[in-house]
Amino acid sequence: MGEEKNKSFQLSCPAPLSGHATIQLAHGSGGKLTGELIQSLFLKYFDNELLRPLEDQARLTLAGTRLAFTTDSYVVDPIFFPGGDIGELAVNGTINDLCMCGARPLYLSAGLIIEEGLAVSDLERIIHSMSRAAANSNVVIVTGDTKVVDRGKADRIFINTAGIGLIEHDYCFSAAGLRAGDKILVSGNIASHGIAIIAQREDLGLQTPIASDTASLLPLVNSLVTTYGAGIHAMRDATRGGIAAILNEFAASSQVAIRISEAAIPIAPPVAAACELLGFDPLHVANEGVMVVAVSPEFADTALEQMRRHPLGENASLLASVESCDRAVVTLRTRFGTERFVDLPVGEQLPRIC
Amino acid sequence: MGEEKNKSFQLSCPAPLSGHATIQLAHGSGGKLTGELIQSLFLKYFDNELLRPLEDQARLTLAGTRLAFTTDSYVVDPIFFPGGDIGELAVNGTINDLCMCGARPLYLSAGLIIEEGLAVSDLERIIHSMSRAAANSNVVIVTGDTKVVDRGKADRIFINTAGIGLIEHDYCFSAAGLRAGDKILVSGNIASHGIAIIAQREDLGLQTPIASDTASLLPLVNSLVTTYGAGIHAMRDATRGGIAAILNEFAASSQVAIRISEAAIPIAPPVAAACELLGFDPLHVANEGVMVVAVSPEFADTALEQMRRHPLGENASLLASVESCDRAVVTLRTRFGTERFVDLPVGEQLPRIC
């Protein structure tokens, strides 16, 4: 499965770094340039069978114990925003990456890079927020590191969290696991996180303040995995690159076509309005508490109902269908009945979103 | 043991953050202010029994499997320096943190924060260096993350590595494990890393170029653990804060006095000269491939011989003795027969050394 995914990824990214001599913001976007960077540098030098599947977490077996292991750095600007802050994001993001393969998140590390001059009260607020988020998901922060860099050499605070989870079942949820006929559910309103950040950063002064959707998806995942087990084929939280990036990865890894119905995209009206205003495609905007789940068709309706009954899935929707195809694509059927391709984001419209 | 250490640490750090309203460079020094930050924020909010021992790695048991888990962020400036680069440092540093508890390092994560505009060729050089360092110690990089921040919001590249190792024995090497009578060995010439960095950064134009000591200490640790097992009471690589920080931590955690003999401090003459010139105490300067080991007195001579026969321990020396005391202290007996206290570094003389 890893092999297959890797191959399809390479086919779509033939040109190493597209000839860029320097790193661009878009190399961190989760879109096309990120894929090229991964292929032309990270897989070239680090290649091994555990990294190769390029899921959001590595799955390891140590002395007979099956683990998930993941890392993410958070550089969000601003560090405090409606609905959350960098600390909560750093903890919940890593919890989400662990639970997307069905692992039970247990232990986190925290690596802080702080710019000289950060207010101690701001740091305390962030640490407090990390501790609350960890406690909410029953994980503990067991090891850490703090570096301080001189003023002007970082931006207030960057946080890395790595995490270990225990895999206690034999299900294999994977981007390469989709089959023709599968239905893809989305757990909630999309694009709220990205728009909350940009509205705060650019001081858009929206009439209705928009809050980030940042959340630990663990309770919702637990509920679904317990009920549907192997009926779930893939799960992924739709962070950088948004729904479009995840579905393109699913399509490429599984060599299927994914057809989104525009009418089924859940989005809060003020977020939709802000996207319109700013010229963003909501499918490209980052979420921090929204997941997509590909399930066997026979479970689609009941899984959707179950999601909607859950506080984290009130706005869940049956977003897309999976079809067999000659070519891995993601398309959108618009409200007007036309169909268009949904590509990976190419540039970086929203840097430092997480 | 964690409890005890914690207590002694608190006694020496009564004032939360010494009244600082903002984060200072010295909060990242590995010295007194780092200790205050850990006590007044991290232990306050994250407190749990796995974090509390404050070793360089957490020791976990998952489904019967014993693991070590650690994290470090690297912000060294410059990113390339005589003897190494940030990539090698990030991999070897985490390998060293894992093996200091006797764990076998197995899996690493890599979280990169890159400043827009970094040359792709520099990034490739760093990634190549990480891959070589990992291969040398038989570890694999299994998961990663890349963020790019806008120009001027980071300094070229920061790298976080977290690591997992397997603990396959019952020895407990710990800062709290020293006993009166123990001897403390140091594996090699001290202060080379810090001086190599500062000489390069400040373009000191030293006549004899000084190379960093960056190295994976794994082969030396394996050799010692295999031979001496429970005869080893504590091991630690002497990074930020130097030998002085580690020995103060050992003394406080074990409630003992540690007496260093100045004549036994191994240091290369050009490094000693540079320290003299710059006004640095070599005991406070960071190392990246030097460890201190506390052993039972009956093993001191043979362990020292074994270290000296190893390529990583050619300049090993019997640095200090452990004595019982009313008060945890580290002292230095000078070449003139006088004795002085060796304190934790208070300020930050060498920021961004690792």
Side-chain angles (χ1 to χ4, degrees):
Chain A
M1 130 204 143
E3 288 281 356
E4 230 181 87
K5 176 177 178 178
N6 195 354
K7 214 189 319 172
S8 61
F9 234 95
Q10 275 168 348
L11 287 174
S12 62
C13 311
L17 296 175
S18 301
H20 289 293
T22 60
I23 295 296
Q24 313 291 308
L25 282 173
H27 283 115
S29 66
K32 276 199 173 136
L33 286 188
T34 304
E36 290 186 20
L37 195 62
I38 290 171
Q39 287 299 326
S40 63
L41 282 188
F42 303 140
L43 277 181
K44 177 177 169 190
Y45 288 105
F46 296 158
D47 186 45
N48 62 75
E49 61 180 6
L50 294 166
L51 177 65
R52 212 172 297 138
L54 295 177
E55 298 280 355
D56 279 352
Q57 71 298 116
R59 301 163 200 199
L60 316 169
T61 304
L62 262 101
T65 300
R66 292 175 62 223
L67 304 177
F69 181 35
T70 192
T71 189
D72 257 322
S73 296
Y74 294 82
V75 298
V76 65
D77 169 35
I79 57 178
F80 301 106
F81 48 82
D85 61 50
I86 190 172
E88 186 197 348
L89 211 58
V91 169
N92 285 340
T94 289
I95 288 169
N96 289 343
D97 280 348
L98 290 172
C99 71
M100 288 301 140
C101 73
R104 180 156 59 96
L106 288 174
Y107 302 114
L108 297 191
S109 66
L112 311 183
I113 297 172
I114 304 175
E115 183 190 11
E116 178 189 11
L118 178 73
V120 169
S121 57
D122 283 343
L123 180 59
E124 180 158 19
R125 192 172 152 198
I126 290 165
I127 298 297
H128 192 187
S129 171
M130 292 179 79
S131 97
R132 270 196 310 260
N136 281 343
S137 292
N138 217 15
V139 306
V140 281
I141 295 166
V142 294
T143 190
D145 174 59
T146 304
K147 295 292 189 303
V148 182
V149 300
D150 22 333
R151 224 176 274 265
K153 299 298 183 181
D155 195 8
R156 305 189 73 189
I157 185 169
F158 302 145
I159 302 180
N160 176 283
T161 48
I164 297 177
L166 193 59
I167 304 177
E168 297 161 299
H169 55 70
D170 290 322
Y171 311 132
C172 180
F173 313 130
S174 155
L178 280 77
R179 300 170 209 166
D182 281 358
K183 300 295 179 189
I184 297 179
L185 312 175
V186 59
S187 66
N189 284 339
I190 71 166
S192 303
H193 177 72
I195 297 301
I197 296 294
I198 201 75
Q200 171 92 349
R201 191 194 301 164
E202 306 299 339
D203 199 10
L204 293 186
L206 301 177
Q207 281 198 315
T208 322
I210 292 168
S212 164
D213 54 272
T214 172
S216 160
L217 290 162
L218 181 61
L220 181 58
V221 168
N222 283 344
S223 151
L224 292 171
V225 172
T226 305
T227 313
Y228 300 102
I232 298 168
H233 295 161
M235 287 193 289
R236 191 68 72 85
D237 53 335
T239 56
R240 266 187 299 175
I243 299 283
I246 303 307
L247 294 190
N248 269 282
E249 203 177 326
F250 280 8
S253 297
S254 297
Q255 287 295 307
V256 293
I258 295 177
R259 304 205 181 279
I260 303 173
S261 161
E262 187 178 29
I265 298 175
I267 184 166
V271 175
C275 285
E276 187 87 25
L277 186 77
L278 297 163
F280 294 155
D281 181 344
L283 292 171
H284 283 169
V285 177
N287 312 280
E288 285 293 338
V290 174
M291 63 194 274
V292 290
V293 190
V295 294
S296 263
E298 66 271 29
F299 301 127
D301 292 338
T302 53
L304 181 62
E305 278 316 303
Q306 186 167 326
M307 284 174 104
R308 285 186 175 155
R309 283 195 306 271
H310 198 283
L312 288 164
E314 282 171 1
N315 299 302
S317 171
L318 199 165
L319 181 72
S321 302
V322 180
E323 297 175 17
S324 61
C325 69
D326 300 331
R327 193 177 143 219
V329 287
V330 180
T331 60
L332 178 81
R333 180 169 296 273
T334 68
R335 286 197 174 79
F336 312 107
T338 56
E339 198 157 10
R340 68 165 174 90
F341 288 109
V342 175
D343 277 326
L344 278 176
V346 178
E348 174 57 296
Q349 53 185 14
L350 285 172
R352 299 185 57 195
I353 214 69
C354 63
Chain B
M1 132 204 142
E3 289 281 359
E4 230 181 270
K5 177 177 177 183
N6 195 355
K7 211 188 322 171
S8 62
F9 234 96
Q10 275 169 347
L11 288 175
S12 62
C13 310
L17 296 174
S18 300
H20 288 294
T22 60
I23 295 296
Q24 313 291 309
L25 282 173
H27 283 114
S29 67
K32 276 197 174 136
L33 286 188
T34 303
E36 289 186 21
L37 195 62
I38 290 170
Q39 287 299 325
S40 64
L41 282 188
F42 303 139
L43 277 181
K44 176 177 170 190
Y45 288 104
F46 296 158
D47 185 45
N48 62 75
E49 61 179 7
L50 294 166
L51 176 66
R52 212 173 297 137
L54 294 179
E55 297 281 353
D56 279 352
Q57 71 298 117
R59 301 164 201 199
L60 317 169
T61 303
L62 263 99
T65 299
R66 292 175 61 223
L67 303 178
F69 181 34
T70 191
T71 190
D72 257 321
S73 297
Y74 293 83
V75 299
V76 65
D77 168 37
I79 57 177
F80 302 106
F81 49 82
D85 61 48
I86 190 173
E88 186 197 347
L89 210 59
V91 169
N92 284 341
T94 288
I95 288 169
N96 289 344
D97 280 348
L98 289 173
C99 71
M100 287 303 140
C101 74
R104 180 156 59 98
L106 288 173
Y107 302 114
L108 297 191
S109 65
L112 311 183
I113 298 172
I114 304 175
E115 183 189 9
E116 179 189 12
L118 178 72
V120 169
S121 57
D122 283 343
L123 179 60
E124 180 158 17
R125 193 172 151 196
I126 291 164
I127 298 298
H128 191 186
S129 170
M130 292 179 79
S131 96
R132 269 195 311 260
N136 280 344
S137 292
N138 216 14
V139 306
V140 281
I141 295 166
V142 294
T143 189
D145 174 58
T146 303
K147 294 293 189 305
V148 182
V149 301
D150 22 332
R151 223 175 273 265
K153 298 298 183 182
D155 194 8
R156 307 189 71 190
I157 185 168
F158 301 146
I159 302 180
N160 177 283
T161 48
I164 298 177
L166 193 58
I167 304 177
E168 297 161 299
H169 55 69
D170 290 322
Y171 311 131
C172 181
F173 312 130
S174 154
L178 280 76
R179 300 170 210 165
D182 282 358
K183 300 295 178 186
I184 296 180
L185 311 176
V186 60
S187 67
N189 283 339
I190 71 166
S192 303
H193 176 74
I195 296 301
I197 296 294
I198 201 75
Q200 170 92 348
R201 191 194 300 163
E202 306 299 340
D203 199 10
L204 293 186
L206 300 177
Q207 279 198 314
T208 322
I210 293 167
S212 164
D213 54 271
T214 172
S216 160
L217 290 162
L218 181 61
L220 181 58
V221 168
N222 283 344
S223 150
L224 292 172
V225 172
T226 305
T227 313
Y228 300 101
I232 299 168
H233 295 161
M235 287 193 288
R236 192 68 72 83
D237 54 334
T239 56
R240 268 187 300 176
I243 299 283
I246 303 308
L247 294 190
N248 270 282
E249 203 176 326
F250 280 8
S253 297
S254 298
Q255 286 296 304
V256 293
I258 295 177
R259 304 205 181 280
I260 303 174
S261 160
E262 187 178 31
I265 297 175
I267 184 165
V271 175
C275 285
E276 187 87 25
L277 186 76
L278 297 163
F280 293 155
D281 181 344
L283 292 171
H284 283 170
V285 177
N287 312 279
E288 285 293 337
V290 173
M291 63 194 275
V292 290
V293 190
V295 295
S296 262
E298 66 271 29
F299 301 127
D301 292 338
T302 53
L304 180 61
E305 278 316 302
Q306 185 168 327
M307 284 175 102
R308 285 187 176 154
R309 284 195 306 270
H310 198 284
L312 288 164
E314 282 171 359
N315 299 302
S317 171
L318 200 165
L319 181 72
S321 302
V322 180
E323 298 174 17
S324 62
C325 69
D326 299 333
R327 193 177 142 218
V329 286
V330 180
T331 60
L332 178 81
R333 180 168 295 273
T334 67
R335 285 195 175 82
F336 312 107
T338 56
E339 199 157 9
R340 68 165 175 89
F341 288 109
V342 175
D343 277 327
L344 277 176
V346 178
E348 173 56 295
Q349 51 185 15
L350 286 172
R352 298 186 57 197
I353 214 69
C354 61

